Amino acid sequence: MVPVDERERLNLFEQTVLPHLDAAYNLARWLAGNDHDAQDVAQEATLRAFRFFGNFRGENARAWLLTIVRNTFYTWLRKNRPQETMVEINDETLANEDALIETNAVSNSTADAELVRQAIAELPVEFREIVVLREMEGFSYKEIAELADVPIGTVMSRLARARKLLQHRLAAEFKPGGPS
Amino acid sequence: MNCRDTNLLINAYADGELDAARTLELEQHVQSCAECKCAWENIRALKKSLKQDALYFAAPADLRQRIKASLPSPAKRISTRAAWSWNWLTTAFSGAFAVCLALLLTMTIPHGQENRLADEIVSEHIRSMMANHVMDVVSTDQHTVKPWFNGKVDFSPPVRDLAAQDFPLVGGRLDYLNGRNVAALIFQHHKHIINLFIWPSKQTSSQPAALPSRQGFHLVHWSDGDMIYWAVSDLNETELMDFAHAFNTASH
Ligand SMILES: [Zn+2]
């Protein structure tokens, strides 16, 4: 009775995976950088997830879906923007940035959302994804390591570097007395 | 603990990922060091700034609708099921119809399936290279690579080193393709990587055949009656065919 199985599969997919469509789109949107491409990536990834739903073992549907979004995105990136390769941040630049930031005191105010958005958007893609997965999706280091297929140490160092870069770009926002 | 060690630890602490012992050590240091205290407060302020609702992009309604429209419609499924319970005559007809449909599909589907499989294989190839995760076991020795698969896959993939033919074996990897665990052997040809995916199948044996390239990658597949082989690489088609023939010949 294929139809019943199919219907159950669809129901299960709608109950377990589709509720994470916001997360799928959010990640795709931050990775792709614009709404149109993000919709393409999120749609392709979600339909792929349905096709491979049989492989889902019921651990964490959101992490599972986002893994597919991520893979779909990199395949898409390679095809559509092959020039956008991964950028290596050299440690010397970062050391200088360390010096710049550590001398700044902070205010308790929250930085302006538009400026934060711009600062995140300017991050190299492999840093951007870690920031989204950690700060917006709240995944643990271990979950991010599995999702992004990198060692936990890499997750930690990328996150630390990403934060340095963000602080550097938002330095004015974090000066005493708030935005200048 | 000195200030140079603290950067990663402060981040882990801010994320609630630091173990108890080091948390204590870090807290003590931060209390006594103005610079690290400043760094810690910077991270806290940044984390707060990143968690603003305004930064989260919710899925647009039309995307949600388009996805739902692309999934099989539940209404159609329900009516199909209802058709089964009408009466035996209808059931018999549906059955006969299903058989006809199935026959029709076996004639038309393989091509679509092959394309889908080819897409999946190219994705896996790209993924294995982008994630820096080409190999689980690094070895040019077939007698190391072959036993490595024991217990990881429920079949024994033929492993051959083709160094003499200028395609040295460089390692192996466990992969997931076509809804099952597969063995991936990695070969090198000059600077190019070849992923060879292998899984068992009773499909009749076939000679290496090339598929049209996709996303800049070439694909060649063949079967020896026990296993199916898919080779993918950014090598040109002629060289990839040479590889396929070399592997196929070495296996028999
Ligand atoms: Zn210190």
Side-chain angles (χ1 to χ4, degrees), chain B residues 198-218:
Chain B
I198 307 174
W199 65 94
S201 160
K202 289 294 162 207
Q203 196 174 308
T204 47
S205 59
S206 59
Q207 286 301 304
L211 258 66
S213 77
R214 47 192 75 207
Q215 299 178 45
F217 296 98
H218 287 98

Side-chain angles (χ1 to χ4, degrees), chain B residues 2-3 6 29 33 35-36:
Chain B
N2 71 52
C3 300
T6 56
H29 177 82
C33 172
E35 214 173 300
C36 289

Side-chain angles (χ1 to χ4, degrees), chain A residues 39 43 106 117 137 141 163, chain B residues 11 15 42 54 56 59 66:
Chain A
Q39 290 211 26
Q43 178 169 348
V106 288
R117 177 176 303 157
E137 295 298 340
Y141 289 2
R163 283 178 175 150
Chain B
N11 276 279
D15 291 322
N42 267 321
Y56 201 92
R66 255 185 296 126

